[in-house]
Amino acid sequence: MSNIEELNVPFDPFADVDEDNKQQASNNIHLRIQQRNGRKTLTTLQGLPEKYDAKKILKTFKKLFACSGTIVEDEEHGDILQLTGDQRVKIAEFLVSENIAKKTDIKIHGF
């Protein structure tokens, strides 16, 4: 009889997987590109560890990549850095070379 009662309980196949992904996802840095108008694009960096100063990193990006940028504060995702142009590969190389993040922790999205 106990087997029949267990059949009525809803089973969530993703219950354990969601918990593991949330822990790993918090360590990831996401680089995304957004199309603005025409050929203009916007690169966003999300998930930068809080121990690093986003303002100083943004200032360095703006000097190295010759682009403009801003910081958008989001309640759910924290500080998001926005840069003009497609800077995804350059940002990833900079973060790895300065030991801010590992190459495996950086996720590049878009096109």
Side-chain angles (χ1 to χ4, degrees), residues 20-77:
D20 294 339
N21 284 343
K22 287 180 184 176
Q23 293 173 355
Q24 292 177 353
S26 65
N27 297 334
N28 289 339
I29 294 177
H30 296 277
L31 295 171
R32 293 184 175 88
I33 189 165
Q34 296 176 347
Q35 190 73 33
R36 290 189 338 170
N37 49 4
R39 293 174 38 191
K40 307 291 183 181
T41 57
L42 188 71
T43 303
T44 59
L45 181 139
Q46 171 188 335
L48 190 67
E50 293 183 9
K51 64 180 179 179
Y52 297 106
D53 188 14
K55 289 182 182 181
K56 288 184 180 181
I57 290 178
L58 180 65
K59 187 175 181 179
T60 305
F61 285 164
K62 289 164 64 172
K63 283 186 178 182
L64 286 177
F65 308 146
C67 65
S68 64
T70 185
I71 298 175
V72 177
E73 296 178 7
D74 186 40
E75 294 176 6
E76 184 178 344
H77 302 293

Side-chain angles (χ1 to χ4, degrees), residues 1-6:
M1 290 298 266
S2 65
N3 292 337
I4 294 173
E5 292 173 0
E6 291 176 6

